[in-house]
Amino acid sequence: MSENFSERLEAVEQRIASACENAGREREDITLLAVSKTKPPEAVREAVDCGLRLFGENKVQEAQSKVSMCPTGLEWHLIGHLQSNKAKLAANLFQMIHTVDSLKILQALENHANTTLPVLLQVNIAGEGGKYGMKPEEVAGVIEAANQMSKCEVHGLMVIPPFSPDPEKTRVHFSNLRKLRDQLQEETGTPLPELSMGMSHDLEVAIEEGSTWVRIGTDLFGKR
Ligand SMILES: *Cc1c(COP(=O)(O)O)cnc(C)c1O
């Protein structure tokens, strides 16, 4: 991997571009979220200098201190599990929460948000024990509840599939998330344009299966 951020970004962009080409999709339909968790503000600044503006963090407290040390005008997205006692902080720190995994946490965000808060619903699509995420059959009810709220807006779904070193083994989970999204749009009449899926090692497969947000840490910032 290159020592230079702009070269690593270029390599990631080339992978995104060729995945788009293979899938017959437009580059502008996919958003690159730079996952800066565990990395210092200097790393974020380097990314900003290369034109990135959207950053993902998995811990509320780490994000809080980092955001205050980074340039203004960036967007911060939560991509880690959120506990209710941090909902107030999260609702006012992040521009989007990718990991709403229960009605309870959605309600807590609604209670504390001061403006419109876009969220994604995290689904445990593979039914893994002990993993965060709603069951597929729970999602429709949460969307219906969100439709009665004034701050939280559900924009789509998010998944962290079971890890496999072979991205082809992950494809089925990405395609199942897309199918669930299609079915929920029909069932609830709610537009769900966003699918947050794909990380450093499987972004191509995710894009082929309809991802609109790829969350890339290692291949941009290096090993953690
Ligand atoms: C850490 C993390 C990523 C980034 O993973 P990489 O493999 O380093 O690209 C993406 N999504 C979530 C939810 C993460 O926690």
Side-chain angles (χ1 to χ4, degrees):
M1 197 183 288
S2 169
E3 283 299 303
N4 178 297
F5 188 91
S6 72
E7 285 175 17
R8 294 195 298 267
L9 174 59
E10 180 62 24
V12 168
E13 279 294 347
Q14 271 172 19
R15 289 172 59 200
I16 294 173
S18 63
C20 284
E21 201 170 301
N22 287 340
R25 300 184 62 196
E26 299 293 330
R27 171 64 186 88
E28 67 202 37
D29 295 340
I30 290 112
T31 306
L32 172 59
L33 185 66
V35 176
S36 50
K37 66 185 186 195
T38 79
K39 299 293 174 183
E42 298 74 61
V44 172
R45 243 171 268 132
E46 211 178 354
V48 171
D49 289 342
C50 292
L52 296 185
R53 218 176 61 77
L54 309 173
F55 294 89
E57 289 285 332
N58 67 336
K59 294 198 172 111
V60 178
Q61 252 133 14
E62 179 186 338
Q64 187 187 27
S65 58
K66 201 176 294 182
V67 168
S68 66
M69 292 186 281
C70 285
T72 54
L74 307 180
E75 258 192 43
W76 295 91
H77 291 233
L78 182 65
I79 60 165
H81 176 66
L82 179 59
Q83 291 169 304
S84 300
N85 61 0
K86 300 212 179 88
K88 184 175 185 180
L89 193 50
N92 296 290
L93 185 61
F94 294 103
Q95 281 68 53
M96 187 187 252
I97 312 275
H98 289 230
T99 42
V100 169
D101 57 7
S102 67
L103 180 54
K104 183 176 169 233
I105 200 70
L106 181 72
Q107 191 65 61
L109 289 167
E110 174 70 12
N111 292 345
H112 293 296
N114 290 310
T115 53
T116 302
L117 181 62
V119 305
L120 305 177
L121 304 181
Q122 182 179 356
V123 185
N124 183 353
I125 198 80
E128 289 179 281
K131 288 287 186 74
Y132 292 120
M134 301 174 200
K135 293 182 181 149
E137 60 270 26
E138 291 171 334
V139 185
V142 177
I143 292 170
E144 305 283 7
N147 286 343
Q148 305 304 313
M149 295 181 175
S150 59
K151 312 278 180 32
C152 289
E153 283 181 352
V154 177
H155 288 201
L157 306 181
M158 182 268 199
V159 72
I160 306 172
F163 178 79
S164 166
D166 176 5
E168 280 304 326
K169 297 227 162 73
T170 310
R171 185 184 293 278
V172 64
H173 304 300
F174 293 149
S175 84
N176 283 344
L177 193 75
R178 186 193 65 237
K179 286 176 195 159
L180 177 66
R181 184 276 304 274
D182 295 348
Q183 182 192 318
L184 287 164
Q185 286 192 143
E186 286 269 307
E187 195 180 328
T188 66
T190 306
L192 301 167
E194 308 296 343
L195 290 175
S196 173
M197 56 189 201
M199 312 187 352
S200 288
H201 75 293
D202 57 14
L203 72 88
E204 287 88 350
V205 170
I207 289 171
E208 286 164 24
E209 297 300 332
S211 174
T212 63
W213 286 90
V214 288
R215 310 178 306 261
I216 309 300
T218 307
D219 284 0
L220 285 176
F221 292 103
K223 275 207 169 66
R224 287 181 293 273

